[in-house]
Structures are given as C-alpha cells and as structure tokens.
Amino acid sequence: MSDEKKSLINIELIPKELITNIFGPASISIGEGLGGIANYVMGPLRRLNIISEKSFQDFVDRTNTNTDEIPPENRDISKLGLALKTMEDARYQLENEEMREYFANLLAGLVDNRKNSQSSPRFSMILSELTTKEARLLSEFYYLKGIPTESFRVQKSNGDGVDLIENILLIDENNYVDENLAIKTLQSYGLIDIAPSVQLKDEKKLALYNIFENSKQFSDTKDHLLEQFQNHPYFIGTDFDVINTRGSITITDLGHIFSSMIFPEKE
C-alpha cells in the first residue's frame, strides 16, 4: 500500500521535448498523482520557455524531497484537487528560488494527513500574490510569535494631531524596520492582526520597547519631527509634542495555519 502511495506522490519529470501536445500520446505516459499534475500544468509553459528547465527541475526536486520525508502511513492523496490548484498558482512564481521552496512545502503539506486537514484553496492564491519580502516578513511574525511596534504622532496639548509613523517593527535590539506596505498586504489577507496601542507583555518583548526608546534612532526621529512641524500652519502658535505609542502585531489563526504549511519548523 505504501509503495502505491509513493508512486502517486513522487513527480516523474518528463523531458521537455516529449511535451508536444499535452492532450496527446506524451501525456498518457505521464502517470498519476503529483507527477501528472505537474507535467500537465507546467508543460505548456515549459514548451514556451516561460519556465526554465533549471527552475522546473529544482521545483520538482524540492517537492520530491519533501514528499519522500512523509512517513508512508501519513501519505494522503485525497487533496490532489488542491494540489492541481497549487500547481496552477505556482507556475508564474517558479523563477524565484524562495517561492519554489514555499510552493514545494505547500504541496508536500497537501499530501500529508498531519497537515492537510486544515488546508484551504485560498493558500496557494495568497502565496502566489505575495512578494518574497512579504513572505519573509510573515515568517518573522510566525517564528517570533508577535512583534512589538512603535508609532509616532505629532500632537497638540488638547489631543488633536497627526499620525505620522506607524508600526515600526522591533524585531530585535538591532533591527528596527518600517515595512508598512508589506504589513498592510499581510493584514488584507487576514494573516496578521495589527494592534497599534496594545503592547506585548512578554519580558523579552517589553525589553525591546525600552531598548528602542533609549536608542539614537528614537531620539533622532522625535527631534526630526519636532523640527519638521515647528513651522507647520496647523501647529504654529500652539504647544505640541511628538508622542510615541507602544503597539504590537501578531499572527492570526489563519496566518499560523498558512505559515505552518509553507515555512519549515525550526528545531
């Protein structure tokens, strides 16, 4: 039984020159399972050189390596429909090495009964629309289990003001980054939750707020904003200050499930 499942899971790469007509004789010898799906979906793009043979071979190798590691008793072909959709969504991202790895991980998860019960047709679509920067950032939220943030507001004494800098990520004591476009993208897919005024309580995360607020970057940012707005019509003749707010960004339940399918578990 395990040998039968393995033959359905592994991808047999057929030579590009044999893919002359995806519905013709060459397709008959492709086989079943992921191999059939991979060659069926990717074949036309390989013929047109939209996918390079090197990239396709690497994707096949990564997928086969991942599926070979699934114990025979956990191999499950019930989600091959989702595998087809995943292949279709992956085909225009395969020239990027990181994306090949993420899609290979997702495919392996779809034929692993320890993971695929929570799989969703949305996952491959979301991954196909993420940039590598956005995917890397999501991995930070996943592995760190929440990231402290700091935001800056120029504010009058009566509380009126302007929010200027949002969600500076305090990844570690030497890594403060502003990735608001990527953050908004991940939020739009429901992968992360932004809480601009909720600070994290973990001791290590609390320490990051304090380290940042005593850093040169923090003081320079406040000084720059005070100087920038001292002659602004909205603030002339009034008392105003630069206010910082501690916040946080955490991964959602959906984001956690999605991330567990595309990122490897850290030991």
Side-chain angles (χ1 to χ4, degrees):
M1 184 68 176
S2 62
D3 289 341
E4 179 186 357
K5 284 194 173 183
K6 182 172 176 124
S7 70
L8 291 173
I9 289 172
N10 265 21
I11 296 175
E12 295 295 331
L13 180 65
I14 64 174
K16 176 182 175 181
E17 58 270 16
L18 294 183
I19 309 176
T20 56
N21 181 350
I22 203 63
F23 297 109
S27 66
I28 296 173
S29 64
I30 287 173
E32 299 180 85
L34 288 186
I37 292 171
N39 288 294
Y40 175 82
V41 172
M42 308 295 182
L45 300 184
R46 290 170 65 200
R47 291 203 313 273
L48 297 173
N49 293 318
I50 294 173
I51 298 175
S52 70
E53 288 301 289
K54 179 180 179 181
S55 296
F56 185 62
Q57 180 68 67
D58 181 65
F59 175 65
V60 166
D61 290 344
R62 290 171 189 263
T63 303
N64 283 340
T65 297
N66 288 348
T67 55
D68 283 347
E69 293 174 354
I70 302 171
E73 65 272 16
N74 296 118
R75 295 172 181 170
D76 175 18
I77 61 170
S78 65
K79 303 292 185 180
L80 285 183
L82 289 184
L84 171 59
K85 183 179 186 304
T86 298
M87 290 281 191
E88 290 175 336
D89 288 336
R91 53 189 169 174
Y92 301 114
Q93 289 270 35
L94 292 189
E95 291 304 308
N96 182 285
E97 182 178 4
E98 287 182 58
M99 286 299 176
R100 289 198 296 273
E101 179 65 20
Y102 298 148
F103 273 107
N105 291 341
L106 180 55
L107 278 169
L110 290 174
V111 292
D112 186 338
N113 64 13
R114 297 167 298 179
K115 292 185 175 183
N116 65 11
S117 63
Q118 300 188 90
S119 58
S120 166
R122 294 184 61 202
F123 287 172
S124 60
M125 178 275 292
I126 292 172
L127 183 56
S128 72
E129 295 184 357
L130 292 183
T131 65
T132 52
K133 176 189 285 189
E134 291 159 353
R136 286 188 212 118
L137 186 59
L138 179 63
S139 73
E140 298 282 7
F141 293 120
Y142 176 58
Y143 291 131
L144 294 175
K145 297 179 173 60
I147 297 178
T149 65
E150 291 268 4
S151 300
F152 290 90
R153 173 181 173 84
V154 180
Q155 182 173 294
K156 296 179 181 180
S157 57
N158 66 359
D160 295 338
V162 182
D163 294 314
L164 289 170
I165 301 176
E166 298 179 318
N167 302 316
I168 295 177
L169 299 173
L170 314 183
I171 294 176
D172 59 50
E173 60 186 63
N174 299 306
N175 192 358
Y176 312 133
V177 295
D178 181 356
E179 295 288 0
N180 259 288
L181 183 58
I183 288 170
K184 296 297 185 185
T185 298
L186 296 177
Q187 182 190 40
S188 72
Y189 287 115
L191 303 175
I192 60 172
D193 181 43
I194 303 172
S197 58
V198 178
Q199 70 175 2
L200 298 174
K201 303 298 185 181
D202 176 84
E203 184 177 340
K204 292 182 178 179
K205 305 290 174 62
L206 283 172
L208 289 175
Y209 294 115
N210 294 325
I211 292 170
F212 176 72
E213 289 166 7
N214 286 285
S215 70
K216 186 176 186 300
Q217 180 176 339
F218 180 86
S219 58
D220 285 350
T221 299
K222 291 193 72 170
D223 291 344
H224 173 72
L225 292 174
L226 286 170
E227 180 180 356
Q228 180 181 352
F229 283 88
Q230 65 182 349
N231 295 318
H232 192 284
Y234 185 71
F235 294 102
I236 288 178
T238 66
D239 292 329
F240 73 95
D241 200 357
V242 175
I243 308 298
N244 66 289
T245 303
R246 294 180 174 186
S248 58
I249 299 178
T250 53
I251 197 161
T252 63
D253 290 342
L254 175 67
H256 187 273
I257 296 169
F258 174 73
S259 297
S260 71
M261 296 284 286
I262 67 171
F263 301 128
E265 291 299 326
K266 287 191 173 181
E267 297 180 359

